[in-house]
Amino acid sequence: QKEVEQNSGPLSVPEGAIASLNCTYSDRVSQSFFWYRQYSGKSPELIMSIYSNGDKEDGRFTAQLNKASQYVSLLIRDSQPSDSATYLCAARARGSTLGRLYFGRGTQLTVWP
Amino acid sequence: EADIYQTPRYLVIGTGKKITLECSQTMGHDKMYWYQQDPGMELHLIHYSYGVNSTEKGDLSSESTVSRIRTEHFPLTLESARPSHTSQYLCASSELRQGRPYEQYFGPGTRLTVT
């Protein structure tokens, strides 16, 4: 099993809907998780980080961490066409004090008007 | 917000040339990273550094080398460019910060084409 796995998508939702992106992880990562947004041809941009079990909300974004089931998700409420991008899930390597992250392959999201 | 810079943004160069991709950050982060990413593909860690004069190789077998002589500067060098090196190179930095540990911030990237 890879350290971080994402449902590859693509995911397509209408404007105003809730987009749900999921990520599972292995025992080789620690409890630090990150969601990045990457527009085509651009570099990844950090949008959420989550370190403890439960939900964390920031505007239209909610990150959810479930340690028992080893998954982390990102919900985007009131999706906008500008949210169309690839979303990368990342997790810190277990035991790494060097801040090394493992990245998933990304889920491509399209929000259509 | 991240203040991390990469130059050049785009580079087209012939096979066999030596190239250096520059990366600088003004945040005082002690950790820096180089990733390689092909279009539509995942990120691959090729080098990382945890401080001045401390570097490690990542997962992807790479013919590149790095140096970290100053905290803010982490250049990547290809001694002899080949078409297989054509890719996007992304630099990132992070620090162990109270409350927000290990968040990595990326530079804009360098898109390298070797002809």
Side-chain angles (χ1 to χ4, degrees):
Chain A
Q1 182 190 5
K2 292 196 69 170
E3 291 83 2
V4 175
E5 296 200 69
Q6 295 182 247
N7 49 340
S8 57
L11 178 64
S12 181
V13 301
E15 184 174 358
I18 296 174
S20 177
L21 306 160
N22 299 310
C23 173
T24 58
Y25 60 90
S26 76
D27 292 335
R28 292 195 292 276
V29 305
S30 73
Q31 306 302 302
S32 302
F33 299 92
F34 310 89
W35 282 100
Y36 287 82
R37 176 176 62 200
Q38 187 174 25
Y39 292 113
S40 180
K42 303 295 185 181
S43 61
E45 173 192 8
L46 179 67
I47 54 172
M48 291 285 287
S49 56
I50 186 165
Y51 305 102
S52 55
N53 223 22
D55 295 1
K56 179 181 178 182
E57 187 174 315
D58 184 1
R60 295 185 297 111
F61 299 98
T62 299
Q64 299 174 319
L65 174 59
N66 185 318
K67 295 181 183 179
S69 301
Q70 292 187 272
Y71 80 79
V72 59
S73 61
L74 179 70
L75 300 178
I76 306 175
R77 291 183 301 281
D78 188 24
S79 295
Q80 301 297 309
S82 59
D83 295 325
S84 298
T86 296
Y87 289 80
L88 307 176
C89 174
R92 181 168 70 92
R94 181 174 292 281
S96 171
T97 58
L98 307 181
R100 189 234 163 101
L101 300 183
Y102 289 110
F103 284 83
R105 295 177 66 90
T107 299
Q108 186 177 352
L109 171 67
T110 300
V111 181
W112 44 276
Chain B
E1 285 298 317
D3 293 313
I4 182 165
Y5 309 97
Q6 292 185 244
T7 57
R9 295 290 310 280
Y10 303 91
L11 179 62
V12 180
I13 200 162
T15 297
K17 300 291 187 182
K18 178 180 179 179
I19 58 173
T20 296
L21 307 184
E22 302 286 351
C23 177
S24 295
Q25 49 96 5
T26 59
M27 297 169 285
H29 287 175
D30 56 342
K31 299 170 184 59
M32 297 187 73
Y33 314 84
W34 276 104
Y35 293 89
Q36 186 175 340
Q37 186 182 36
D38 293 325
M41 303 299 287
E42 61 193 299
L43 292 164
H44 292 284
L45 180 67
I46 49 177
H47 294 282
Y48 56 108
S49 168
Y50 45 97
V52 172
N53 294 324
S54 300
T55 63
E56 298 283 346
K57 290 194 173 185
D59 299 325
L60 188 65
S61 175
S62 173
E63 293 151 349
S64 58
T65 59
V66 292
S67 62
R68 189 94 181 272
I69 298 172
R70 303 196 315 266
T71 299
E72 64 271 21
H73 194 214
F74 190 41
L76 180 143
T77 298
L78 281 166
E79 290 292 335
S80 180
R82 297 211 301 248
S84 60
H85 295 139
T86 294
S87 190
Q88 169 142 296
Y89 292 84
L90 295 163
C91 182
S93 71
S94 76
E95 65 175 355
L96 177 56
R97 183 168 54 166
Q98 183 70 24
R100 303 177 72 176
Y102 304 117
E103 291 180 344
Q104 285 189 19
Y105 297 95
F106 285 82
T110 293
R111 187 166 299 280
L112 173 65
T113 302
V114 183
T115 61

